[in-house]
Amino acid sequence: MNKKTIVVGAGASGLFFGAAAPASAGGDILILEKTDKIGTKLLMSGSGQCNLTHAGSIKEFLSCYGESGSRIRKCLYRHNNLEYIRFMESLGVKTAEREDGKVFPVSMDSRDVRQALLAAASGNSVTIMKNSPVKAFKTIPKGFEVTVSSKGPGVSDAAGERTFTCRNLVIAAGGASYPSTGSDGSVLQILRRDLGIAVTDLRPALAPVYVQDYPFAELSGISFKNAGLRISDSQGKKIREASGDLLLTHRSFSGPLMLNNSRYINAGFRVEINFVFPYTVSSVLSRIKGACGGNNKSAVSFFAEEFGLPKRFVSLILGSCGLSEKKLSSMTGCEMETAARAFAAAVFSVSGTGSFREAMATKGGVALDGVDFSFMESKTQKGLYFIGEVLDIDGNTGGYNLQFAYSSARTCLDAIYT
Ligand SMILES: Cc1cc2nc3c(=O)[nH]c(=O)nc-3n(C[C@H](O)[C@H](O)[C@H](O)COP(=O)(O)OP(=O)(O)OC[C@H]3O[C@@H](n4cnc5c(N)ncnc54)[C@H](O)[C@@H]3O)c2cc1C
């Protein structure tokens, strides 16, 4: 079968591509999807509520993709968050901005987002073929040959495979996180093998952080509105400082602060957490010293009230220093210092970050140096495009990954159809 454009992957970016395609072009677009489902990761996103994007100036988005933000500036600016929200509304998906800036469908149901995109793609006469795992690419004069292995009904021929040809080949096959959704990163090996595309190493991003002797299992669910984080490597060299919301889970540190910074953290690193940010060890110490004279309060009550911390958490921290039974007035200078450090500079040794099964995004993928972001096109293979998470782009939690899926899909459509 010959098509003008073949898209590999019917996930978020493939669906944005089909839904936003010009109606006149849709009949010539074929989306090949490996699994028997469409948009599986999109359905899971935002715990099924689908955090579509973030509010605010698109300029602020650039710092939310690690070091890669500046590379995708053009594509984000050209098809920004406001345009994306308007596009979803034009498809009948009403959106709402939460207090924290995250934008969701009003229904808080990702099924509505997928349904709207599917309906738009179908209205544009785009064909989506499920059970069609792409296993090989070949360059041919004026385009590409795409081989799909036989899987499921309707795709097998006598040789157990089927080939398609196209002028434009759009890779929208996602990253490697949550491999059960179909995005397992295997397309990257095929791109490298068949088309010589450079690929960077993959690692989980937006993953929880595990530390040795994690003490907070019983406090799972407690969160800190704004905690501080300092990451150092195994030699003690500072890698990064950040602040943000922290969540204690049963086995790990999570929440936006840890998820967004997990891309910088490796096993053997040290994380220093400030639970009372922006206070520092010395400012905590001065507050204790200022309050201790004749103060008969228990240390637990003092810390809980003074720094707005949950009592269970304060008891555990002071307990670990042997200070949970202390009255404030009876604390020695040394004990005060120990307590100040435990709240403002608690140090943990990292045992690892969550695996691809837990990570919400993938760091690594198609190497950015080989891509022209004005068109999302390969610099070495004319007519070959990359959109979404298959690229070495991983956004912070908060809607930034779906925004990139949208912006890159629209930029690619511009390149092919205008
Ligand atoms: C639990 C979870 C929650 C998330 N929540 C949010 C959120 O709220 N907001 C946000 O912005 N981001 C969120 N993300 C990230 C976001 O879902 C992804 O970044 C986004 O789906 C990437 O879109 P994509 O099209 O690049 O890849 P995917 O959506 O992963 O789609 C890729 C598709 O390609 C198919 N495919 C792979 N290989 C082949 C092949 N060889 N042949 C044919 N098809 C193939 C796959 O089966 C898949 O259907 C979340 C991710 C997870 C895992």
Side-chain angles (χ1 to χ4, degrees):
M1 191 192 287
N2 185 18
K3 286 277 180 184
K4 182 173 177 195
T5 303
I6 287 182
V7 180
V8 179
S13 58
L15 283 176
F16 284 132
F17 188 94
S24 56
D28 236 354
I29 298 175
L30 170 65
I31 304 183
L32 296 170
E33 167 55 42
K34 171 173 155 179
T35 68
D36 62 353
K37 297 189 183 70
I38 291 170
T40 305
K41 212 178 262 184
L42 180 70
L43 279 186
M44 301 167 90
S45 64
S47 305
Q49 299 182 329
C50 198
N51 178 194
L52 288 164
T53 183
H54 213 86
S57 159
I58 198 74
K59 272 190 200 153
E60 290 157 20
F61 278 52
L62 299 184
S63 61
C64 300
Y65 298 89
E67 285 86 36
S68 311
S70 56
R71 310 287 285 267
I72 57 172
R73 178 191 279 110
K74 272 190 197 158
C75 143
L76 288 176
Y77 277 35
R78 202 174 289 164
H79 294 289
N80 63 23
N81 49 345
L82 290 181
E83 182 202 274
Y84 174 24
I85 290 167
R86 266 187 237 120
F87 175 70
M88 292 313 302
E89 302 245 347
S90 76
L91 302 186
V93 177
K94 294 232 166 313
T95 63
E97 179 191 328
R98 266 187 4 188
E99 237 173 54
D100 59 5
K102 291 182 180 177
V103 177
F104 288 85
V106 165
S107 66
M108 299 300 269
D109 190 340
S110 54
R111 285 174 300 184
D112 296 340
V113 175
R114 183 181 67 166
Q115 186 46 41
L117 294 174
L118 266 175
S122 152
N124 292 336
S125 309
V126 171
T127 306
I128 302 182
M129 207 177 266
K130 297 192 267 186
N131 294 310
S132 302
V134 170
K135 64 170 204 181
F137 301 111
K138 196 168 133 189
T139 44
I140 54 171
K142 290 199 182 148
F144 300 90
E145 187 179 272
V146 178
T147 304
V148 168
S149 67
S150 65
K151 190 181 172 213
V155 277
S156 64
D157 65 2
E161 58 188 37
R162 194 164 168 184
T163 58
F164 301 87
T165 57
C166 59
R167 190 168 337 140
N168 306 300
L169 176 58
V170 180
I171 309 297
S177 75
Y178 277 69
S180 58
T181 61
S183 331
D184 58 5
S186 56
V187 84
L188 292 163
Q189 311 318 318
I190 306 174
L191 284 168
R192 184 157 37 193
R193 180 195 68 198
D194 295 352
L195 300 176
I197 297 301
V199 170
T200 57
D201 291 344
L202 303 186
R203 64 166 285 175
L206 295 185
V209 174
Y210 293 90
V211 297
Q212 282 168 24
D213 305 317
Y214 178 70
F216 301 119
E218 284 159 31
L219 302 183
S220 173
I222 285 185
S223 59
F224 299 82
K225 200 74 206 102
N226 194 23
L229 171 68
R230 183 187 163 97
I231 305 167
S232 313
D233 69 11
S234 51
Q235 311 300 316
K237 184 174 156 241
K238 185 180 105 179
I239 303 291
R240 188 179 167 78
E241 278 180 333
S243 62
D245 297 350
L246 172 74
L247 173 70
L248 305 180
T249 77
H250 197 60
R251 294 168 49 224
S252 61
F253 289 114
S254 189
L257 178 64
M258 284 299 177
L259 296 175
N260 292 341
N261 286 288
S262 62
R263 59 165 87 93
Y264 305 107
I265 299 175
N266 292 317
F269 278 24
R270 219 176 70 142
V271 289
E272 186 181 293
I273 297 181
N274 183 345
F275 296 100
V276 291
F277 186 80
Y279 294 108
T280 58
V281 172
S282 63
S283 63
V284 171
L285 203 48
S286 351
R287 287 183 93 88
I288 310 174
K289 284 182 177 159
C292 69
N295 193 330
N296 232 11
K297 246 187 202 163
S298 71
V300 170
S301 297
F302 168 76
F303 280 102
E305 287 162 22
E306 188 75 9
F307 299 104
L309 296 168
K311 261 195 171 167
R312 284 196 304 143
F313 170 76
V314 174
S315 294
L316 190 141
I317 290 276
L318 289 179
S320 69
C321 314
L323 299 172
S324 57
E325 302 302 323
K326 278 271 171 177
K327 296 251 187 262
L328 197 62
S329 53
S330 69
M331 282 177 84
T332 65
C334 186
E335 287 169 341
M336 288 177 194
E337 167 115 24
T338 303
R341 289 205 167 277
F343 287 106
V347 175
F348 301 89
S349 296
V350 175
S351 46
T353 58
S355 69
F356 279 121
R357 270 180 297 162
E358 302 173 84
M360 285 186 281
T362 303
K363 184 169 169 56
V366 171
L368 304 187
D369 282 345
V371 180
D372 180 343
F373 283 93
S374 298
F375 308 107
M376 307 310 300
E377 191 174 20
S378 161
K379 288 181 182 168
T380 53
Q381 300 269 352
K382 216 142 178 47
L384 175 63
Y385 300 86
F386 307 101
I387 60 176
E389 221 185 294
V390 75
L391 284 152
D392 183 2
I393 298 280
D394 55 296
N396 286 354
T397 166
Y400 300 98
N401 286 300
L402 287 178
Q403 175 68 52
F404 179 64
Y406 171 84
S407 301
S408 55
R410 293 298 302 244
T411 304
C412 181
L413 279 167
D414 294 345
I416 297 175
Y417 293 107
T418 53

